[in-house]
């Protein structure tokens, strides 16, 4: 089975365009010309152009953190898939738990965004994950299956095959509390089973499932050693070039 590891940095609302440029200049130098894993950075919208100028022609890819579900229109303050593509984006994060929590994104709006993006050249990274309360109530499976069912509703298997999934337990995001490799592996394996049952074994084998939540250089290797973890979505530890490059290198030793 060959699912290429993807190490993605989600910068959230950090870094001005100037700071973004400085950071990726250092990152590109540290990563070198031929990393073993795929490397992606997702700066704020305002940093996309500055970062694109630096990463263009290097192995570091560019992504955005959000997108609107229409390609244009009277939606003040929003950004479309077409705009992101023209800025050089290859990926876009959809349904991050902070969007769900603070901006009232529902599974329905997430589904609309996915439907808009799947037919473009942009690769959506669909985030799912349970809160601590839901975990403690024994509802992990139910919550994740619900997010997947509603998020992916109406998409064909061919469309879904172009996605990347990210499992991000909300209690592990920005808290320093990482899911143990065993907990993460268990959820990733259950997502893969669900995909196999609802779609096909082929799709289930093929989709990459990233893990996110307090990933740092020190815990990358043991997380990435799990069979069903195909990469990481990294917040805090992706903001600094040295630490993000270390995560890339720890993941690379596991990608063989
Ligand atoms: P964190 O964030 O690595 O800072 O926990 C992960 C994310 O929100 O994608």
């Amino acid at each position: 089975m060959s699912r290429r590891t993807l190490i993605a940095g989600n910068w959230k609302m950090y870094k001005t365009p100037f700071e973004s440029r400085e950071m990726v200049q250092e990152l590109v130098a540290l990563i070198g010309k031929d990393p073993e894993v795929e490397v992606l950075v997702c700066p704020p919208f305002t940093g996309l152009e500055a970062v694109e100028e630096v990463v263009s022609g290097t192995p570091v890819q560019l992504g955005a953190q959000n997108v609107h579900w229409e390609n244009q229109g009277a939606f003040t303050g929003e950004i479309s898939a077409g705009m992101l593509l023209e800025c050089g984006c290859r990926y876009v994060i959809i349904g991050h738990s902070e969007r769900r929590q603070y901006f009232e994104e529902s599974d329905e709006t997430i589904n609309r965004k996915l439907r808009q993006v799947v037919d473009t050249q942009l690769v959506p990274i669909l985030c799912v994950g349970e809160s601590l309360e839901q975990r403690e109530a024994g509802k992990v499976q139910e919550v994740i299956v619900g997010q997947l069912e509603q998020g992916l509703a109406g998409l064909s298997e061919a469309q879904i095959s172009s996605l990347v999934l990210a499992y991000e337990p909300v209690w592990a995001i920005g808290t320093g509390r990482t899911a143990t490799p065993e907990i993460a592996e268990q959820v990733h394996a259950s997502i893969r089973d669900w995909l196999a049952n609802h779609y096909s074994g082929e799709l289930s084998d093929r989709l990459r499932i990233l893990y996110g939540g307090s990933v740092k250089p020190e815990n990358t290797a043991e997380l990435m050693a799990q069979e069903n973890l195909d990469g990481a979505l990294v917040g805090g530890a992706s903001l600094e070039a040295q630490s993000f490059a270390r995560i890339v290198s720890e993941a690379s030793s596991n990608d063989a």
Side-chain angles (χ1 to χ4, degrees):
M1 191 187 341
S2 60
R3 294 187 296 262
R4 187 160 190 226
T5 300
L6 171 61
I7 301 297
N10 170 14
W11 295 3
K12 309 192 178 185
M13 199 175 72
Y14 291 100
K15 295 192 189 298
T16 65
F18 180 80
E19 291 163 346
S20 301
R21 181 181 289 117
E22 296 234 295
M23 147 51 171
V24 279
Q25 277 167 344
E26 194 185 344
L27 182 69
V28 160
L30 288 168
I31 297 288
K33 285 199 171 58
D34 198 14
E36 279 171 44
V37 299
E38 206 179 329
V39 182
L40 167 68
V41 291
C42 302
F45 291 134
T46 50
L48 290 175
E49 197 179 347
V51 171
E52 162 63 9
E53 281 168 14
V54 179
V55 301
S56 171
T58 78
V60 176
Q61 306 210 58
L62 184 64
Q65 301 171 18
N66 186 24
V67 65
H68 193 259
W69 60 76
E70 293 288 345
N71 205 38
Q72 60 177 20
F75 298 103
T76 302
E78 293 293 321
I79 305 279
S80 75
M83 295 168 188
L84 296 178
L85 280 164
E86 207 173 302
C87 288
C89 288
R90 168 102 178 90
Y91 287 91
V92 62
I93 299 169
I94 294 185
H96 188 278
S97 64
E98 286 151 16
R99 302 284 328 159
R100 295 178 189 256
Q101 192 178 347
Y102 306 126
F103 302 97
E104 287 166 27
E105 278 196 19
S106 63
D107 288 315
E108 195 205 331
T109 54
I110 289 163
N111 178 249
R112 289 174 82 177
K113 292 177 179 202
L114 283 172
R115 285 170 185 241
Q116 175 65 242
V117 169
V118 281
D119 291 326
T120 69
Q121 299 295 311
L122 265 185
V123 178
I125 302 177
L126 169 62
C127 302
V128 295
E130 81 288 356
S131 66
L132 186 58
E133 207 181 7
Q134 290 164 331
R135 172 161 285 271
E136 284 172 349
K139 293 192 170 148
V140 179
Q141 181 76 3
E142 189 185 316
V143 168
I144 286 165
V145 164
Q147 290 171 341
L148 288 172
E149 264 172 1
Q150 293 174 60
L152 301 177
L155 297 179
S156 68
E157 185 168 330
Q159 288 172 322
I160 296 172
S161 71
S162 71
L163 306 181
V164 173
L165 297 179
Y167 168 57
E168 298 207 308
V170 179
W171 46 270
I173 296 179
T175 57
R177 193 176 157 185
T178 324
T180 62
E182 294 72 28
I183 289 180
E185 171 62 16
Q186 202 177 39
V187 177
H188 282 231
S190 76
I191 294 175
R192 231 179 266 295
D193 282 348
W194 182 85
L195 289 167
N197 292 332
H198 274 69
Y199 300 97
S200 68
E202 199 191 338
L203 180 78
S204 159
D205 268 355
R206 176 188 169 133
L207 275 204
R208 289 185 291 184
I209 311 176
L210 314 183
Y211 167 76
S214 298
V215 174
K216 39 188 189 271
E218 297 73 27
N219 59 24
T220 302
E222 54 172 2
L223 285 163
M224 294 305 117
Q226 304 300 312
E227 190 185 336
N228 288 295
L229 271 67
D230 310 310
L233 184 52
V234 188
S238 76
L239 292 172
E240 207 250 310
Q242 298 275 355
S243 97
F244 193 54
R246 271 184 62 207
I247 291 176
V248 169
S249 111
E250 292 288 338
S252 303
S253 23
N254 257 287
D255 206 35

